[in-house]
Amino acid sequence: MTSSSDRSLAVDVPAPKSYEIRTYGCQMNVHDSERLSGLLEDAGYVRAPEGSDGDADVVVFNTCAVRENADNRLYGNLGRLAPKKVSRPGMQIAVGGCLAQKDRDTIVKKAPWVDVVFGTHNIGKLPVLLERARVQEEAQVEIAESLEAFPSTLPTRRESAYAAWVSISVGCNNTCTFCIVPALRGKEKDRRTGDILAEIEALVGEGVSEITLLGQNVNAYGSDIGDREAFGKLLRACGTIEGLDRVRFTSPHPRDFTDDVIAAMAETPNVMPQLHMPLQSGSDTVLKAMRRSYRQERYLGIIEKVRAAIPHAAITTDIIVGFPGETEEDFEETLHVVREARFAQAFTFQYSKRPGTPAATMEDQIPKAVVQARYERLVALQEEISWEENKKQVGRTLELMVAEGEGRKDGATHRLSGRAQDNRLVHFTKPGQEVRPGDVVTVEVTYAAPHHLLAEGAVLDVRRTRAGDAWEKRTAEKTAESAGVMLGLPRIGVPAPLPVATGSGCGCD
């Protein structure tokens, strides 16, 4: 029996509010969403379960503005949430990212049920803006015109225990006619090298064994201080960090890709033999119209130098088909570069107008049917080359970092999946002993498909790692929390795998 004194001491603890973040666009947005998650959890929110589909107390859209229909997609999603918001008093909706930076007040006019609109430069204000909107009972629109604080200073909820993004710069100084990102992200601003290395060392201390250096134009790093070799020096410095097994970066620009970077890649053991080098077009005429400051000869020269220094490097790219004014001859030049470069993969896109870019108002916009036909020819050629290049891997012995969530059919096939040093996806036979995401296995490739490899024989070696320990610890903590530990205030949800670094950091994907 509970006494009156006991009852007087009882306190009702309100359940924590849940949040959901929907991310669109490039790796920079993915990394920004990790910051947004960290900010919200710091403020007491918990992640909603996977597949909540708008049932969270706070739904955040981290938007992209590089596609012509980006706004239609956003408003369609906002429209579907409107009735849920009516039926759930207290629910809040926030819109951030590049489209928010561009459209500003338009979002609230078109979707007056939105509570918060924030830009690319002030993501750290989200919790404050949500609280202000709740108290004042009106929408809060706050768009900063310049960076208020480098995102690395914000709390972060990393999506992977063993791999992490590390932002080295924000913004872009290029003026590509198809891209609106520089107008929304601002001029390039570099982080101090010491801060970058300190963040990496801290991540390694937590168990992370793979990092991806991230920037809109990652190899232009150093432009703030006038040091053209700063990026190569940074790569070499990463090579001195004990416990850091793999270093990647995305996305470089051919204009700034210097010989010292190639040398640093080749001579630094933990920098992986992988390069994502956006092409966009193989035609000098189109490249000039795009305001890309390199030409076909320069691009192929870089590929040749990389292959000479790193023979097994896997090179991927971005290509835009149907840019305004592109002729059949121009398109054939693109096919020529694809044949010469022999990309492991190409991320191919049909040109679409980005409102606010010079290309959107250019004459000679290409008919949709022509763009579609060229796109299909390009995809068919690249598919053939990807398969041929993957077949060269058959018989090779590869070291894989075991990945989480990479193989959609792993459960049915009794396989696991991992990434080779060159970032190729490999599905391998599940060994008898325990293997955790972040651990390293050695396998022999037995079969090649255009987009993945198979290792159907027995695993040759398993190396348990600190990264695997970190994954195991995080998983155990999440299980304990979801079971009601920590005073009944669980953080809900299992972390998703770190997205694979593909596509252009400039938002061209």
Side-chain angles (χ1 to χ4, degrees):
M1 182 174 178
T2 305
S3 67
S4 58
S5 60
D6 290 334
R7 286 195 300 271
S8 66
L9 293 174
V11 177
D12 290 329
V13 179
K17 292 182 178 180
S18 61
Y19 75 90
E20 173 191 350
I21 297 179
R22 302 185 186 183
T23 307
Y24 306 97
C26 66
Q27 288 84 1
M28 194 66 75
N29 269 19
V30 173
H31 191 33
D32 282 349
S33 289
E34 291 185 328
R35 305 291 187 193
L36 292 170
S37 293
L39 284 160
L40 290 171
E41 293 190 8
D42 235 29
Y45 295 83
V46 296
R47 175 174 283 195
E50 291 294 325
S52 61
D53 193 25
D55 290 331
D57 296 304
V58 173
V59 179
V60 182
F61 291 87
N62 191 5
T63 63
C64 175
V66 303
R67 290 291 172 200
E68 185 177 14
N69 64 348
D71 54 347
N72 293 334
R73 185 180 186 185
L74 172 65
Y75 295 122
N77 286 326
L78 290 175
R80 283 187 284 276
L81 284 185
K84 288 192 175 185
K85 195 168 190 295
V86 170
S87 65
R88 295 190 60 197
M91 178 184 179
Q92 291 184 296
I93 300 172
V95 179
C98 289
L99 192 64
Q101 188 80 20
K102 182 173 78 73
D103 284 358
R104 307 180 182 225
D105 296 331
T106 305
I107 293 173
V108 173
K109 290 177 182 176
K110 289 187 175 181
W113 54 93
V114 169
D115 299 276
V116 171
V117 179
F118 62 102
T120 59
H121 298 309
N122 62 331
I123 63 175
K125 290 288 187 67
L126 177 59
V128 172
L129 294 172
L130 287 168
E131 181 63 13
R132 193 186 301 165
R134 185 188 66 79
V135 172
Q136 297 183 6
E137 297 184 343
E138 64 180 13
Q140 302 296 309
V141 178
E142 189 168 310
I143 306 291
E145 296 300 332
S146 59
L147 195 67
E148 294 186 344
F150 207 92
S152 60
T153 63
L154 302 174
T156 305
R157 184 194 192 280
R158 302 275 178 183
E159 294 300 333
S160 170
Y162 54 88
W165 307 108
V166 175
S167 182
I168 70 171
S169 64
V170 295
C172 181
N173 294 336
N174 293 318
T175 57
C176 301
T177 55
F178 55 80
C179 186
I180 198 170
V181 170
L184 304 178
R185 292 269 181 186
K187 292 292 185 180
E188 181 178 322
K189 184 175 179 60
D190 296 336
R191 289 178 70 188
R192 290 180 60 253
T193 302
D195 292 342
I196 296 169
L197 296 175
E199 181 181 355
I200 295 172
E201 288 172 349
L203 288 167
V204 171
E206 295 170 6
V208 168
S209 61
E210 177 179 306
I211 61 102
T212 300
L213 303 175
L214 187 62
Q216 306 291 162
N217 183 9
V218 70
N219 61 316
Y221 177 75
S223 61
D224 275 359
I225 58 176
D227 184 358
R228 284 180 55 83
E229 296 188 350
F231 185 63
K233 294 173 183 175
L234 177 61
L235 290 179
R236 292 182 186 276
C238 288
T240 67
I241 298 176
E242 186 176 353
L244 179 60
D245 293 338
R246 295 185 173 191
V247 177
R248 307 186 192 277
F249 58 88
T250 193
S251 284
H253 192 294
R255 181 196 68 186
D256 301 300
F257 205 80
T258 50
D259 290 349
D260 67 289
V261 172
I262 298 174
M265 291 177 66
E267 296 166 9
T268 309
N270 62 357
V271 175
M272 294 295 95
Q274 174 220 347
L275 175 64
H276 184 78
M277 179 69 78
L279 169 65
Q280 310 306 3
S281 174
S283 163
D284 288 354
T285 301
V286 174
L287 288 170
K288 182 178 180 181
M290 288 178 167
R291 215 177 287 159
R292 301 283 287 181
S293 51
Y294 56 89
R295 299 296 178 259
Q296 180 187 119
E297 183 178 4
R298 158 77 171 151
Y299 186 92
L300 288 174
I302 293 172
I303 302 301
E304 184 178 357
K305 288 180 179 179
V306 170
R307 289 248 161 82
I310 316 169
H312 289 300
I315 300 175
T316 58
T317 195
D318 295 334
I319 301 174
I320 297 173
V321 177
F323 187 80
E326 181 188 73
T327 65
E328 179 62 24
E329 291 73 20
D330 292 325
F331 179 65
E332 286 291 344
E333 289 297 310
T334 295
L335 297 181
H336 169 71
V337 175
V338 170
R339 293 187 186 100
E340 290 293 311
R342 300 196 64 80
F343 300 113
Q345 297 287 340
F347 303 92
T348 53
F349 311 99
Q350 298 184 38
Y351 171 76
S352 64
K353 293 180 181 179
R354 279 81 161 179
T357 63
T361 57
M362 285 181 177
E363 297 180 354
D364 298 325
Q365 300 283 328
I366 310 300
K368 172 65 176 174
V370 174
V371 177
Q372 181 67 34
R374 290 176 183 170
Y375 175 79
E376 291 173 2
R377 288 163 59 194
L378 174 61
V379 169
L381 173 62
Q382 181 56 53
E383 194 89 350
E384 177 184 333
I385 292 172
S386 294
W387 199 357
E388 290 173 355
E389 291 300 305
N390 272 359
K391 286 177 181 177
K392 295 177 183 177
Q393 306 298 311
V394 174
R396 288 189 65 195
T397 299
L398 301 179
E399 188 176 81
L400 313 179
M401 180 177 290
V402 181
E404 181 179 31
E406 292 272 29
R408 290 173 295 177
K409 299 180 181 178
D410 282 353
T413 59
H414 304 290
R415 295 184 179 123
L416 296 175
S417 299
R419 291 278 170 180
Q421 291 182 325
D422 64 7
N423 210 36
R424 281 184 167 91
L425 177 63
V426 184
H427 306 301
F428 62 95
T429 301
K430 190 173 183 179
Q433 65 193 97
E434 180 190 26
V435 178
R436 308 160 301 178
D439 286 341
V440 174
V441 300
T442 304
V443 301
E444 181 178 326
V445 178
T446 57
Y447 175 81
H451 303 291
H452 69 268
L453 303 172
L454 290 182
E456 299 163 299
V459 170
L460 303 178
D461 184 59
V462 175
R463 176 162 58 88
R464 291 174 68 87
T465 65
R466 291 173 59 254
D469 294 343
W471 178 89
E472 188 172 22
K473 179 182 178 183
R474 175 188 278 199
T475 303
E477 289 173 350
K478 294 300 176 185
T479 301
E481 290 174 8
S482 63
V485 181
M486 295 183 66
L487 302 179
L489 301 178
R491 291 188 177 188
I492 305 171
V494 177
L498 184 73
V500 179
T502 59
S504 170
C506 67
C508 304
D509 52 332

